[in-house]
Amino acid sequence: MKMTLPRRLLLGAALAMGLAGTAAAEFPERQITLVIPFAAGGSTDVVGRIVADRMSKSLGQQVIVQNVGGAGGSLGGQQVAKADPDGYTILMGTVATHALNPLILKQKPYDPVTDFAPVSLLVLVPNVLAVHPDLPVNTVQELIDLAKKEQLAYASSGNGTPLHLSGELFKSMAGVDITHIPYKGSGPALTDVLGNQVPIIFDNLPSSSGHIASGKLKALGVTTKERAPSFPDVPAIAETLPGYETYSWNALFAPASTPPEAIAALNKAALEAMADPEVAKRMGEFSATIVASSPEDLGKHVTAEMAKWEPVVKAANVSLD
Ligand code: GLU
């Protein structure tokens, strides 16, 4: 209690000396770093760069992208959790960083609720099961049949990601054993599948859609309950394995205790970006559904998603390689 009065006096003196002007300065005054917790070329990177570019225009300051891949997104998540809470370092979070990592990874480098200030849920993203065109299967059932005869492997964007969960849920529901090979993001995972070093990938649709459209990857099924609007000919895996469902999402987070003015400015810029018809067109091409939420609704979404995936992670018997 002894400290209370002098501190108040100090603050009063600082305000009287004109420092109040500094505190009230417009956010942002300099460039912002958007940490992408996965390697370049993955879905989070693709979505993140489109959003960062458009937010730069709204904010009048550059939003630069920094890829910090590894540990299923938790390295990048940890970097932002520990960053100065001033709004100048933010995270392109996903279902991996804010729901699955804490459920799957043994090491918990941060708390997705208490270590972050939510900014906006941006998009919901379908995932896809795709194979190299040389793999002699054209349907989910044919893949299941082949996996019962041969030892196959699938690539994912890392332990603790929705792609890892997608693969393990598939294995447990189909009764097959396929070896999991984790990467630092879908970008490097895709490189190896396109080169046929690994025959199967579970990926987010945004990063695979171009390769599926050009025939470099054969899509067997999407992971959402329903088919994806941009690929109506690709069945849902649930058509073969009823009840199968996974998906991903992208959302912006700042470190906990970031000033509300900075959160409000970032949220406004994010909503403006998602309302831009050019951004909407790009998102539509890979069936990412725009949500563009308030910070409060993103907070509720994170809590709901952690509860939703807990039984699925258990049912899928996800283990670390
Ligand atoms: N596959 C994604 C990427 O490499 C990350 C996984 C996720 O969607 O959470 O960007």
Side-chain angles (χ1 to χ4, degrees):
M1 284 311 283
K2 265 186 189 165
M3 289 301 291
T4 310
L5 191 58
R7 269 194 189 159
R8 280 209 184 131
L9 285 175
L10 269 177
L11 182 63
L15 292 173
M17 284 160 70
L19 294 182
T22 311
E26 285 275 300
F27 174 91
E29 296 177 287
R30 54 188 166 85
Q31 75 175 29
I32 293 167
T33 299
L34 173 62
V35 173
I36 307 280
F38 292 97
S43 166
T44 313
D45 183 65
V46 172
V47 170
R49 283 173 197 272
I50 295 170
V51 174
D53 201 43
R54 183 59 184 78
M55 281 179 73
S56 302
K57 285 190 197 144
S58 290
L59 292 165
Q61 294 285 349
Q62 277 301 113
V63 178
I64 58 153
V65 160
Q66 186 189 5
N67 294 88
V68 183
S74 65
L75 288 185
Q78 186 177 23
Q79 179 167 319
V80 175
K82 293 193 169 153
D84 287 339
D86 54 13
Y88 290 98
T89 307
I90 55 175
L91 177 73
M92 183 56 82
T94 81
V95 65
T97 59
H98 278 72
L100 298 179
N101 285 181
L103 295 173
I104 297 176
L105 301 182
K106 284 193 189 106
Q107 300 237 321
K108 317 231 179 288
Y110 54 78
D111 184 308
V113 175
T114 56
D115 286 340
F116 291 90
V119 175
S120 178
L121 175 59
L122 303 176
V123 284
L124 300 178
V125 177
N127 303 323
V128 64
L129 161 60
V131 298
H132 188 275
D134 286 354
L135 197 73
V137 295
N138 291 307
T139 63
V140 168
Q141 190 56 54
E142 285 174 12
L143 178 68
I144 294 170
D145 294 342
L146 185 66
K148 285 185 175 161
K149 284 187 238 140
E150 282 178 30
Q151 185 60 52
L152 300 171
Y154 78 94
S156 90
S157 52
N159 284 320
T161 65
L163 296 319
H164 179 203
L165 179 65
S166 302
E168 298 308 298
L169 187 62
F170 181 83
K171 282 159 60 174
S172 113
M173 290 180 73
V176 293
D177 182 25
I178 304 175
T179 309
H180 175 222
I181 305 184
Y183 291 79
K184 285 189 177 177
S186 302
L190 273 170
T191 304
D192 276 9
V193 176
L194 293 170
N196 208 6
Q197 276 92 359
V198 183
I200 305 167
I201 187 166
F202 281 89
D203 191 18
N204 307 112
L205 202 44
S207 34
S208 272
S209 55
H211 302 301
I212 294 166
S214 70
K216 286 190 196 144
L217 281 179
K218 200 162 35 172
L220 302 186
V222 291
T223 67
T224 37
K225 275 191 203 152
E226 310 289 338
R227 295 185 180 205
S230 58
F231 289 91
D233 296 337
V234 178
I237 294 173
E239 292 172 38
T240 307
L241 299 173
Y244 182 98
E245 184 195 21
T246 74
Y247 52 81
S248 188
W249 41 263
N250 287 117
L252 292 177
F253 294 89
S257 308
T258 298
E261 309 79 55
I263 298 292
L266 290 166
N267 177 268
K268 183 167 175 281
L271 298 195
E272 280 170 13
M274 303 320 283
D276 185 319
E278 192 50 40
V279 171
K281 185 171 157 273
R282 298 287 310 278
M283 299 298 163
E285 279 163 12
F286 34 69
S287 295
T289 306
I290 292 178
V291 181
S293 81
S294 66
E296 294 72 27
D297 282 350
L298 173 56
K300 287 183 201 149
H301 177 75
V302 168
T303 317
E305 284 283 288
M306 288 175 77
K308 169 172 182 152
W309 296 116
E310 191 170 8
V312 184
V313 165
K314 284 208 180 101
N317 193 19
V318 181
S319 61
L320 294 178
D321 302 80

